[in-house]
Structures are given as structure tokens and as C-alpha cells.
Short mmCIF file of all heavy atoms in Angstrom, two decimals:
data_model
loop_
_atom_site.label_atom_id
_atom_site.label_comp_id
_atom_site.label_asym_id
_atom_site.label_seq_id
_atom_site.Cartn_x
_atom_site.Cartn_y
_atom_site.Cartn_z
N GLU A 1 -154.65 0.62 -29.96
CA GLU A 1 -154.14 -0.65 -30.47
C GLU A 1 -155.19 -1.74 -30.32
O GLU A 1 -155.92 -1.78 -29.32
CB GLU A 1 -152.90 -1.08 -29.67
CG GLU A 1 -151.59 -0.56 -30.18
CD GLU A 1 -150.43 -1.20 -29.46
OE1 GLU A 1 -150.34 -1.05 -28.22
OE2 GLU A 1 -149.62 -1.88 -30.12
N THR A 2 -155.24 -2.60 -31.30
CA THR A 2 -156.09 -3.79 -31.21
C THR A 2 -155.20 -5.00 -30.94
O THR A 2 -154.32 -5.33 -31.74
CB THR A 2 -156.87 -4.01 -32.52
OG1 THR A 2 -157.69 -2.86 -32.78
CG2 THR A 2 -157.75 -5.24 -32.41
N LEU A 3 -155.40 -5.65 -29.82
CA LEU A 3 -154.60 -6.81 -29.42
C LEU A 3 -155.45 -8.08 -29.54
O LEU A 3 -156.63 -8.09 -29.20
CB LEU A 3 -154.11 -6.65 -27.99
CG LEU A 3 -153.28 -5.38 -27.70
CD1 LEU A 3 -152.82 -5.37 -26.25
CD2 LEU A 3 -152.08 -5.30 -28.64
N ILE A 4 -154.83 -9.12 -30.05
CA ILE A 4 -155.52 -10.40 -30.29
C ILE A 4 -155.10 -11.42 -29.24
O ILE A 4 -153.91 -11.71 -29.06
CB ILE A 4 -155.22 -10.94 -31.70
CG1 ILE A 4 -155.47 -9.85 -32.76
CG2 ILE A 4 -156.05 -12.18 -31.97
CD1 ILE A 4 -156.91 -9.37 -32.81
N ARG A 5 -156.07 -11.98 -28.55
CA ARG A 5 -155.80 -13.03 -27.57
C ARG A 5 -155.56 -14.36 -28.28
O ARG A 5 -155.87 -14.51 -29.47
CB ARG A 5 -157.00 -13.18 -26.62
CG ARG A 5 -157.33 -11.93 -25.81
CD ARG A 5 -158.44 -12.25 -24.82
NE ARG A 5 -158.80 -11.08 -24.01
CZ ARG A 5 -159.78 -10.24 -24.31
NH1 ARG A 5 -160.51 -10.44 -25.43
NH2 ARG A 5 -160.05 -9.21 -23.53
N PRO A 6 -154.99 -15.36 -27.55
CA PRO A 6 -154.76 -16.67 -28.17
C PRO A 6 -156.02 -17.34 -28.71
O PRO A 6 -155.95 -18.10 -29.68
CB PRO A 6 -154.16 -17.50 -27.01
CG PRO A 6 -153.51 -16.48 -26.12
CD PRO A 6 -154.39 -15.27 -26.20
N ASP A 7 -157.19 -17.01 -28.11
CA ASP A 7 -158.42 -17.65 -28.60
C ASP A 7 -159.04 -16.90 -29.78
O ASP A 7 -160.12 -17.25 -30.25
CB ASP A 7 -159.44 -17.79 -27.46
CG ASP A 7 -159.88 -16.43 -26.92
OD1 ASP A 7 -159.41 -15.39 -27.44
OD2 ASP A 7 -160.69 -16.41 -25.97
N GLY A 8 -158.36 -15.86 -30.25
CA GLY A 8 -158.84 -15.13 -31.42
C GLY A 8 -159.65 -13.91 -31.11
O GLY A 8 -159.94 -13.11 -32.01
N THR A 9 -160.08 -13.74 -29.86
CA THR A 9 -160.84 -12.54 -29.51
C THR A 9 -159.88 -11.36 -29.37
O THR A 9 -158.66 -11.54 -29.23
CB THR A 9 -161.60 -12.74 -28.19
OG1 THR A 9 -160.66 -13.04 -27.14
CG2 THR A 9 -162.60 -13.88 -28.33
N SER A 10 -160.41 -10.17 -29.40
CA SER A 10 -159.56 -8.98 -29.36
C SER A 10 -160.04 -8.00 -28.30
O SER A 10 -161.19 -8.07 -27.82
CB SER A 10 -159.57 -8.29 -30.72
OG SER A 10 -160.86 -7.83 -31.06
N PHE A 11 -159.15 -7.09 -27.92
CA PHE A 11 -159.51 -6.00 -27.03
C PHE A 11 -158.64 -4.80 -27.39
O PHE A 11 -157.62 -4.93 -28.08
CB PHE A 11 -159.34 -6.38 -25.56
CG PHE A 11 -157.92 -6.65 -25.14
CD1 PHE A 11 -157.18 -5.69 -24.45
CD2 PHE A 11 -157.31 -7.87 -25.42
CE1 PHE A 11 -155.88 -5.93 -24.06
CE2 PHE A 11 -156.01 -8.13 -25.02
CZ PHE A 11 -155.30 -7.15 -24.34
N LEU A 12 -159.06 -3.63 -26.95
CA LEU A 12 -158.41 -2.38 -27.33
C LEU A 12 -157.64 -1.78 -26.17
O LEU A 12 -158.06 -1.85 -25.02
CB LEU A 12 -159.45 -1.36 -27.83
CG LEU A 12 -160.34 -1.81 -28.99
CD1 LEU A 12 -161.34 -0.71 -29.33
CD2 LEU A 12 -159.51 -2.18 -30.21
N ILE A 13 -156.49 -1.18 -26.50
CA ILE A 13 -155.72 -0.40 -25.54
C ILE A 13 -155.50 0.98 -26.14
O ILE A 13 -154.99 1.11 -27.25
CB ILE A 13 -154.35 -1.04 -25.23
CG1 ILE A 13 -154.52 -2.35 -24.48
CG2 ILE A 13 -153.49 -0.09 -24.40
CD1 ILE A 13 -153.21 -3.00 -24.11
N THR A 14 -155.90 2.02 -25.41
CA THR A 14 -155.73 3.39 -25.89
C THR A 14 -154.53 4.02 -25.20
O THR A 14 -154.44 4.03 -23.96
CB THR A 14 -156.99 4.23 -25.63
OG1 THR A 14 -158.08 3.66 -26.35
CG2 THR A 14 -156.78 5.66 -26.10
N HIS A 15 -153.62 4.53 -26.01
CA HIS A 15 -152.41 5.19 -25.49
C HIS A 15 -152.57 6.70 -25.64
O HIS A 15 -153.05 7.18 -26.67
CB HIS A 15 -151.17 4.75 -26.26
CG HIS A 15 -150.94 3.27 -26.26
ND1 HIS A 15 -150.14 2.62 -25.35
CD2 HIS A 15 -151.41 2.30 -27.11
CE1 HIS A 15 -150.12 1.32 -25.62
NE2 HIS A 15 -150.89 1.10 -26.68
N GLU A 16 -152.15 7.43 -24.63
CA GLU A 16 -152.08 8.89 -24.71
C GLU A 16 -150.63 9.30 -24.49
O GLU A 16 -150.07 9.06 -23.42
CB GLU A 16 -152.99 9.55 -23.68
CG GLU A 16 -154.46 9.51 -24.02
CD GLU A 16 -155.27 10.49 -23.18
OE1 GLU A 16 -154.67 11.12 -22.28
OE2 GLU A 16 -156.48 10.60 -23.41
N LEU A 17 -150.03 9.89 -25.52
CA LEU A 17 -148.62 10.28 -25.45
C LEU A 17 -148.50 11.77 -25.73
O LEU A 17 -149.36 12.36 -26.39
CB LEU A 17 -147.78 9.49 -26.45
CG LEU A 17 -147.33 8.09 -26.00
CD1 LEU A 17 -148.50 7.12 -25.98
CD2 LEU A 17 -146.25 7.56 -26.93
N GLN A 18 -147.41 12.34 -25.25
CA GLN A 18 -147.18 13.77 -25.41
C GLN A 18 -145.93 14.05 -26.24
O GLN A 18 -144.96 13.26 -26.21
CB GLN A 18 -147.03 14.46 -24.05
CG GLN A 18 -148.30 14.53 -23.22
CD GLN A 18 -148.72 13.20 -22.62
OE1 GLN A 18 -147.86 12.43 -22.17
NE2 GLN A 18 -150.00 12.90 -22.63
N PHE A 19 -145.95 15.16 -26.95
CA PHE A 19 -144.76 15.68 -27.62
C PHE A 19 -144.96 17.18 -27.77
O PHE A 19 -145.98 17.73 -27.36
CB PHE A 19 -144.50 14.99 -28.97
CG PHE A 19 -145.50 15.34 -30.04
CD1 PHE A 19 -145.22 16.32 -30.98
CD2 PHE A 19 -146.72 14.67 -30.13
CE1 PHE A 19 -146.14 16.63 -31.97
CE2 PHE A 19 -147.65 14.98 -31.12
CZ PHE A 19 -147.35 15.97 -32.05
N ASP A 20 -144.01 17.85 -28.35
CA ASP A 20 -144.10 19.31 -28.50
C ASP A 20 -143.83 19.75 -29.93
O ASP A 20 -143.24 19.00 -30.73
CB ASP A 20 -143.09 20.01 -27.58
CG ASP A 20 -143.67 20.30 -26.20
OD1 ASP A 20 -144.83 20.73 -26.14
OD2 ASP A 20 -142.95 20.09 -25.20
N ARG A 21 -144.27 20.95 -30.24
CA ARG A 21 -143.90 21.64 -31.46
C ARG A 21 -142.78 22.63 -31.12
O ARG A 21 -142.64 23.05 -29.97
CB ARG A 21 -145.10 22.40 -32.04
CG ARG A 21 -146.27 21.51 -32.45
CD ARG A 21 -145.91 20.57 -33.57
NE ARG A 21 -147.10 19.93 -34.15
CZ ARG A 21 -147.08 18.99 -35.07
NH1 ARG A 21 -145.92 18.55 -35.52
NH2 ARG A 21 -148.19 18.47 -35.55
N PRO A 22 -141.97 23.03 -32.10
CA PRO A 22 -140.88 23.96 -31.80
C PRO A 22 -141.39 25.35 -31.45
O PRO A 22 -142.46 25.78 -31.90
CB PRO A 22 -140.07 23.98 -33.10
CG PRO A 22 -141.04 23.58 -34.16
CD PRO A 22 -141.96 22.60 -33.51
N ILE A 23 -140.62 26.06 -30.65
CA ILE A 23 -140.87 27.46 -30.34
C ILE A 23 -139.93 28.28 -31.23
O ILE A 23 -138.71 28.20 -31.09
CB ILE A 23 -140.62 27.77 -28.86
CG1 ILE A 23 -141.57 26.95 -27.99
CG2 ILE A 23 -140.77 29.25 -28.58
CD1 ILE A 23 -141.29 27.08 -26.50
N TYR A 24 -140.51 29.05 -32.14
CA TYR A 24 -139.69 29.80 -33.09
C TYR A 24 -139.14 31.06 -32.42
O TYR A 24 -139.87 31.81 -31.77
CB TYR A 24 -140.51 30.16 -34.32
CG TYR A 24 -141.00 28.95 -35.07
CD1 TYR A 24 -142.33 28.58 -35.04
CD2 TYR A 24 -140.12 28.16 -35.81
CE1 TYR A 24 -142.79 27.46 -35.72
CE2 TYR A 24 -140.56 27.04 -36.50
CZ TYR A 24 -141.90 26.69 -36.44
OH TYR A 24 -142.34 25.58 -37.11
N LYS A 25 -137.85 31.29 -32.63
CA LYS A 25 -137.17 32.45 -32.05
C LYS A 25 -136.41 33.19 -33.14
O LYS A 25 -135.44 32.66 -33.69
CB LYS A 25 -136.20 32.00 -30.94
CG LYS A 25 -136.90 31.25 -29.80
CD LYS A 25 -135.94 30.88 -28.69
CE LYS A 25 -136.66 30.21 -27.54
NZ LYS A 25 -135.74 29.87 -26.43
N PRO A 26 -136.86 34.41 -33.46
CA PRO A 26 -136.18 35.18 -34.51
C PRO A 26 -134.72 35.47 -34.14
O PRO A 26 -134.43 35.86 -33.00
CB PRO A 26 -136.99 36.47 -34.60
CG PRO A 26 -138.32 36.12 -34.02
CD PRO A 26 -138.03 35.12 -32.94
N LEU A 27 -133.83 35.26 -35.09
CA LEU A 27 -132.42 35.55 -34.91
C LEU A 27 -132.10 36.85 -35.65
O LEU A 27 -132.60 37.08 -36.76
CB LEU A 27 -131.56 34.40 -35.46
CG LEU A 27 -130.05 34.51 -35.24
CD1 LEU A 27 -129.72 34.34 -33.76
CD2 LEU A 27 -129.31 33.45 -36.06
N HIS A 28 -131.29 37.70 -35.03
CA HIS A 28 -130.91 38.98 -35.62
C HIS A 28 -129.41 38.98 -35.89
O HIS A 28 -128.62 38.43 -35.11
CB HIS A 28 -131.26 40.14 -34.69
CG HIS A 28 -132.71 40.22 -34.35
ND1 HIS A 28 -133.57 41.11 -34.94
CD2 HIS A 28 -133.47 39.50 -33.47
CE1 HIS A 28 -134.79 40.96 -34.44
NE2 HIS A 28 -134.75 39.98 -33.54
N ILE A 29 -129.01 39.60 -37.00
CA ILE A 29 -127.60 39.71 -37.37
C ILE A 29 -127.29 41.16 -37.71
O ILE A 29 -128.08 41.83 -38.38
CB ILE A 29 -127.25 38.82 -38.57
CG1 ILE A 29 -127.37 37.34 -38.22
CG2 ILE A 29 -125.83 39.11 -39.07
CD1 ILE A 29 -127.03 36.40 -39.37
N ARG A 30 -126.14 41.63 -37.26
CA ARG A 30 -125.63 42.92 -37.71
C ARG A 30 -124.15 42.76 -38.03
O ARG A 30 -123.45 41.97 -37.38
CB ARG A 30 -125.86 44.00 -36.66
CG ARG A 30 -125.02 43.86 -35.40
CD ARG A 30 -125.35 44.97 -34.41
NE ARG A 30 -124.49 44.90 -33.22
CZ ARG A 30 -124.66 45.65 -32.14
NH1 ARG A 30 -125.67 46.52 -32.08
NH2 ARG A 30 -123.83 45.53 -31.10
N LEU A 31 -123.68 43.49 -39.03
CA LEU A 31 -122.29 43.36 -39.48
C LEU A 31 -121.91 44.54 -40.34
O LEU A 31 -122.77 45.30 -40.82
CB LEU A 31 -122.09 42.06 -40.25
CG LEU A 31 -122.71 41.98 -41.65
CD1 LEU A 31 -121.99 40.93 -42.49
CD2 LEU A 31 -124.20 41.63 -41.58
#
């Protein structure tokens, strides 16, 4: 992120966030 101070100067903040992808699980059917 670029943040702007009241005097017009800027500084950077780097965020590191986590999330996941799904784990696929095959489903079986019999009938």
C-alpha cells in the first residue's frame, strides 16, 4: 500500500496475508 501523509509525502506498507486452495476429494457413488 502507498499511504500519503498530510504534507503530501508518501511511504509504503507491505502486507503478507495467507489463504488456501481447496483440497479435491473424489466422491464415489454406487446404486
Side-chain angles (χ1 to χ4, degrees):
E1 272 189 300
T2 301
L3 303 181
I4 309 299
R5 299 186 180 93
D7 63 1
T9 60
S10 63
F11 65 101
L12 303 178
I13 293 182
T14 298
H15 303 266
E16 285 195 356
L17 278 72
Q18 290 74 39
F19 70 97
D20 271 318
R21 297 297 192 185
I23 298 174
Y24 298 107
K25 300 183 177 182
L27 185 69
H28 301 258
I29 293 180
R30 69 182 184 188
L31 71 157

